[in-house]
Amino acid sequence: MDLKLSGHNVIITGGTKGIGRAIAETLASEGCNVGICARSEDDVTSAVAALSEKGVKVTGKALDVADGDAFAAWIQEAGEALGGIDAFVSNVAGSNAPGDEGWISQFNYNILSAVHGVEACKPFFKESTNPSVVMISTTAALEHFMNAGPYNAMKAGLLNYSGALSQELGAKGIRVNAISPGPIFIEGGSWDKIKQGMAPFYESTLATIPLGRMGTAEEVAAQAALLISPLGGFTTGTNVVIDGGMTKRIQY
Ligand SMILES: NC(=O)c1ccc[n+]([C@@H]2O[C@H](COP(=O)([O-])OP(=O)(O)OC[C@H]3O[C@@H](n4cnc5c(N)ncnc54)[C@H](OP(=O)(O)O)[C@@H]3O)[C@@H](O)[C@H]2O)c1
């Protein structure tokens, strides 16, 4: 299937590793020009070089998305360098620090950075024929998982913002969707670390997944590509759960 993504310009936060990197790779393979950011300058440089090999325009910057001014300035810069912005993928999450620090971090990184990203992209969306936003949430926002903590709560807030925004921006032709992945196994990523350091928890989580395995970053990226594609042009306000059946609620 031709996703008709060639020539789209997409901004992805946290595009050097894990799910964000897989989204950038998948979109670049489909002919999208991509803009990525992350905190590590070395990782941004090497990711930009690797993505550029796909023959698309790539721009990247080392920054912390919690620095609202620097983040907005970069989106402006990236939009100008790419020649517009058709889609924004908000992919960064916060830290699991204990106490208030963790709550503030998860708010800043999951919600406020998504809000700032959307606001900075809006002027570019006016010029796009297929503008959209994809928010990366988690199944931990949908059902009780691990603890009553800020990560789950702020990801749930992100889903509420995403759905409400789809209503608000629909009249402007801007689609807003979310993806809630279950456990995604990425070499060197969080579930790899859990497998090494907390094997019983890893195994007990795996046992709750009917498909009998964790997901891949590429499986999440493929869904992001479909949501951004003009072929997903009537899809807005949805939350796509990609979890191998881990969440037990019945979806209607
Ligand atoms: N992995 C899973 O099982 C899973 C499941 C459900 C949902 N998710 C969600 O998927 C998203 C990506 O997770 P992941 O596992 O792929 O993470 P990851 O492998 O740790 O990658 C995170 C990416 O974001 C960048 N980043 C982190 N903090 C940043 C900041 N403050 N400013 C700019 N860039 C930042 C990282 O680079 P730097 O460190 O250099 O900044 C890296 O490129 C998150 O929202 C997470 O909650 C993941």
Side-chain angles (χ1 to χ4, degrees):
M1 185 177 10
D2 176 4
L3 290 177
K4 303 193 187 313
L5 278 167
S6 187
H8 275 58
N9 302 318
V10 186
I11 299 292
I12 304 133
T13 64
T16 59
K17 280 186 252 169
I19 290 170
R21 175 65 176 268
I23 292 172
E25 295 272 354
T26 298
L27 292 175
S29 297
E30 292 294 322
C32 292
N33 305 309
V34 293
I36 58 163
C37 67
R39 291 163 302 179
S40 159
E41 184 126 41
D42 287 352
D43 287 354
V44 169
T45 304
S46 63
V48 166
L51 289 162
S52 299
E53 281 173 23
K54 294 183 187 289
V56 293
K57 279 192 245 174
V58 184
T59 183
K61 184 134 186 163
L63 59 83
D64 188 325
V65 294
D67 180 344
D69 290 343
F71 183 36
W74 172 65
I75 289 182
Q76 179 68 31
E77 226 175 82
E80 284 165 12
L82 299 177
I85 298 174
D86 300 291
F88 170 63
V89 181
S90 192
N91 166 69
V92 164
S95 87
N96 290 321
D100 287 3
E101 194 185 328
W103 284 93
I104 291 163
S105 167
Q106 294 295 356
F107 169 73
N108 280 335
Y109 292 108
N110 282 300
I111 297 186
L112 206 52
S113 76
V115 173
H116 287 160
V118 168
E119 290 305 317
C121 287
K122 271 183 183 172
F124 291 100
F125 285 166
K126 277 187 198 157
E127 308 301 321
S128 171
T129 54
N130 178 37
S132 77
V133 176
V134 175
M135 309 287 193
I136 306 297
S137 183
T138 169
T139 50
L142 312 177
E143 286 187 347
H144 175 67
F145 187 66
M146 285 183 75
N147 60 7
Y151 175 73
N152 305 5
M154 294 304 140
K155 286 292 199 188
L158 180 66
L159 287 177
N160 185 285
Y161 169 59
S162 179
L165 197 63
S166 73
Q167 292 292 315
E168 206 169 290
L169 299 185
K172 294 187 171 125
I174 303 168
R175 298 179 297 109
V176 185
N177 292 292
I179 297 176
S180 290
I184 303 300
F185 191 89
I186 296 154
E187 234 162 89
S190 53
W191 284 102
D192 194 4
K193 286 179 189 138
I194 292 168
K195 189 178 183 188
Q196 311 301 327
M198 298 165 67
F201 176 58
Y202 176 87
E203 292 301 336
S204 65
T205 303
L206 195 57
T208 65
I209 304 175
L211 290 187
R213 66 173 176 87
M214 293 193 174
T216 66
E218 289 70 25
E219 287 168 325
V220 179
Q223 188 60 62
L226 187 54
L227 289 173
I228 292 168
S229 159
L231 272 58
F234 201 49
T235 305
T236 194
T238 199
N239 171 34
V240 183
V241 176
I242 304 180
D243 69 349
M246 183 177 146
T247 43
K248 305 302 176 212
R249 73 214 162 106
I250 307 295
Q251 292 196 62
Y252 294 99

